[in-house]
Amino acid sequence: MTGTMKTRTMQYHHIRIGSINVRTVKCEIKLAESVMQIKELKHDICGIQETHKTGQGTIEFNDSELKGWRVFYDGLKKKAMSGVAIALAPHVKYIDVEHHLVSETIY
C-alpha cells in the first residue's frame, strides 16, 4: 500500500480564569485598578463580584496600560448594590457574551 499519511498537530492554548470580589467599582478609576490587578495576575478571563454598578454595559479601556481590556457588567437598574462583571484580556477575541441577569447576584 502506498501513499502518505497526513499528521495533524494538536495545538493547546492555556487560559487562566479567575474571580475577584471588589466590593465596589462604581467609578471607572476603581474599575481600572481592579483590571490592573487582574492583568498582573495574568488572568485571561476574570469574574468580578460586588461591582455596585447600575444598569448594564461594556467598558473598553484605551489607555496604554490596559489597551484592549474589556469589561461587561450588569447590575440593578436603579440601586447601586450587588452587580457582577466579567473582564476579558485583549487576546480573548472569540467569546460570545450576552447579558442575562438571573438575580442581582447571579449573572
Side-chain angles (χ1 to χ4, degrees):
M1 184 175 215
T2 61
T4 58
M5 187 172 152
K6 292 183 181 179
T7 59
R8 196 166 102 185
T9 20
M10 298 293 286
Q11 290 184 347
Y12 295 96
H13 300 279
H14 295 280
I15 191 162
R16 295 181 91 170
I17 300 173
S19 174
I20 186 171
N21 187 323
V22 293
R23 296 208 176 173
T24 186
V25 288
K26 289 183 212 173
C27 68
E28 288 199 27
I29 292 172
K30 290 214 40 157
L31 180 61
E33 289 171 356
S34 298
V35 174
M36 280 298 294
Q37 289 178 332
I38 294 166
K39 181 182 175 184
E40 288 171 9
L41 291 169
K42 298 181 180 171
H43 288 158
D44 303 301
I45 300 172
C46 189
I48 306 171
Q49 298 85 36
E50 300 283 336
T51 62
H52 293 199
K53 290 186 78 60
T54 56
Q56 60 180 232
T58 305
I59 297 170
E60 186 163 348
F61 294 96
N62 291 317
D63 67 324
S64 60
E65 289 289 317
L66 296 175
K67 186 163 181 65
W69 277 85
R70 294 167 291 157
V71 175
F72 299 89
Y73 66 90
D74 203 341
L76 298 176
K77 289 183 181 183
K78 295 182 181 178
K79 270 186 168 177
M81 60 183 285
S82 305
V84 292
I86 185 167
L88 302 177
H91 63 273
V92 179
K93 301 279 186 212
Y94 306 106
I95 188 166
D96 186 17
V97 178
E98 292 186 27
H99 293 11
H100 295 289
L101 186 62
V102 177
S103 76
E104 67 257 13
T105 56
I106 302 173
Y107 191 36

